[in-house]
Amino acid sequence: MKVKYLGTGASEGWPGIFCGCQYCKEARKRGGKNIRTRSGTLINDSLMVDFPPDTYYHVINFKIDLSQLRHLVITHSHGDHFYTKDLALRRSVFAHLDEGSMLDIYGNKAVESIMNEIINNNTVLKEYINIHYVPPFETFEAGDIKVTPLKAQHDRNEDCYIYIFEDTDGKRMLYGNDTGIFPEETWEYIKGHYFNLVSLDCTAGPDQDGNYHMGLPDDIKVKERLIEIGCADEATKFVVTHFSHNGRLLHDELVELAKPHGFDVAYDGFEVFV
Ligand SMILES: [Zn+2]
Ligand SMILES: [Zn+2]
Ligand SMILES: [Zn+2]
């Protein structure tokens, strides 16, 4: 399985679009891995997780041909993960696509209803986009990737999801942002699943949260529990992502903090192979 992180920032990006804090100033100055766009990920070049407002930039920067994308899995309806204005451009005359080429979008009830409203006002989109509500804990197939939505601990106004992705080689990833420490029903479900790759929320940086997002102390707790229940072992790769300037630590400082605990720190363009 190949996983490419396109964006690794929280909702405002880092530097924050309007922010003048010292951590954003420092990120602007240092550049490189300290520049974090809004979160999106590509799995095996065939499935995209989330559609942030920086997707256009990702397409240019990483030379991605979205005319070939068939499967888009959405975690939740927050604007940094689901930017619908650009999704509405997947239709004639904005996009010239192969005959019958559809984009299947999978998500929770909030994603389904937002997308349906857009399609009702823009009926041509129906010929280009399929919307699928996917219930939690029910596995479905998106092309040749098996996908299972799990409940996250995030915005209580909707059923936010994290996901299990499994490819044809049997490699399995637990994709865990945006979320605090997982709800018990999610822990219950993942018992008995082994993960080759675990990707976790680290919005709070060095601080503890666990309720809406996670910081490294929460990531460590989640890692320990995953190992304890047999979902992971020393061969499992652990990655942290979704960082905010409010977590203060820039890339190199995060690496220094996370490395002794066995976590790789994602950055925009970071690729992992398992
Ligand atoms: Zn987010
Ligand atoms: Zn800032
Ligand atoms: Zn969110």
Side-chain angles (χ1 to χ4, degrees):
M1 179 181 279
K2 174 187 167 188
V3 177
K4 186 178 178 100
Y5 291 82
L6 306 174
T8 57
S11 57
E12 62 280 12
W14 193 348
I17 183 164
F18 292 111
C19 191
C21 81
Q22 66 180 104
Y23 308 104
C24 287
K25 282 182 182 149
E26 191 60 26
R28 283 186 195 101
K29 199 165 90 188
R30 291 194 207 175
K33 293 174 183 172
N34 298 295
I35 304 298
R36 298 185 182 279
T37 61
R38 272 65 67 87
S39 293
T41 304
L42 203 53
I43 300 179
N44 287 354
D45 295 319
S46 69
L47 181 149
M48 207 157 111
V49 192
D50 287 338
F51 195 83
D54 298 318
T55 302
Y56 182 72
Y57 169 77
H58 296 156
V59 162
I60 303 294
N61 200 32
F62 301 120
K63 299 185 170 64
I64 300 163
D65 179 0
L66 283 191
S67 73
Q68 300 304 310
L69 184 77
R70 297 287 174 272
H71 304 283
L72 174 61
V73 174
I74 304 290
T75 54
H76 61 309
S77 75
H78 288 174
D80 57 323
H81 297 260
F82 186 48
Y83 184 68
T84 54
K85 288 257 192 307
D86 279 349
L87 280 173
L89 298 176
R90 197 189 192 277
R91 50 157 286 193
S92 179
V93 296
F94 307 109
H96 301 284
L97 294 154
D98 295 342
E99 184 79 29
S101 138
M102 299 294 283
L103 175 66
D104 288 290
I105 302 179
Y106 313 86
N108 64 12
K109 284 274 178 207
V111 165
E112 181 195 39
S113 80
I114 291 167
M115 229 30 242
N116 278 339
E117 199 182 322
I118 291 165
I119 284 179
N120 287 337
N121 293 317
N122 186 349
T123 49
V124 182
L125 260 185
K126 262 191 199 139
E127 295 165 33
Y128 297 89
I129 287 176
N130 288 321
I131 316 298
H132 308 271
Y133 163 64
V134 287
F137 310 114
E138 287 185 24
T139 303
F140 64 94
E141 284 181 17
D144 55 11
I145 297 184
K146 283 187 189 148
V147 185
T148 311
L150 308 171
K151 284 191 184 176
Q153 176 102 338
H154 193 52
D155 186 341
R156 273 56 168 182
N157 295 314
E158 64 184 90
D159 246 349
C160 298
Y161 291 161
I162 55 173
Y163 286 96
I164 299 173
F165 297 106
E166 184 182 331
D167 71 6
T168 47
D169 295 336
K171 293 291 164 64
R172 216 181 265 142
M173 174 193 199
L174 177 61
Y175 188 88
N177 66 284
D178 297 2
T179 185
I181 305 266
F182 317 146
E184 279 310 310
E185 40 185 337
T186 291
W187 282 110
E188 207 39 56
Y189 183 90
I190 62 176
K191 231 192 267 169
H193 291 73
Y194 175 79
F195 299 108
N196 306 90
L197 174 61
V198 176
S199 181
L200 296 175
D201 187 302
C202 199
T203 314
D207 304 329
Q208 191 174 324
D209 178 342
N211 196 34
Y212 194 87
H213 280 298
M214 286 195 249
L216 198 68
D218 307 297
D219 297 317
I220 293 167
K221 268 191 222 155
V222 169
K223 181 180 177 182
E224 283 171 354
R225 185 160 172 188
L226 285 169
I227 291 172
E228 203 180 287
I229 62 176
C231 291
D233 59 21
E234 63 287 343
T236 303
K237 283 191 182 173
F238 283 85
V239 177
V240 282
T241 188
H242 198 279
F243 299 101
S244 158
H245 54 156
N246 295 317
R248 307 177 302 284
L249 300 184
L250 283 110
H251 184 77
D252 288 347
E253 296 152 10
L254 279 164
V255 169
E256 206 174 302
L257 187 75
K259 210 174 174 184
H261 300 285
F263 288 94
D264 281 331
V265 176
Y267 53 86
D268 291 17
F270 178 61
E271 289 184 341
V272 200
F273 299 85
V274 289

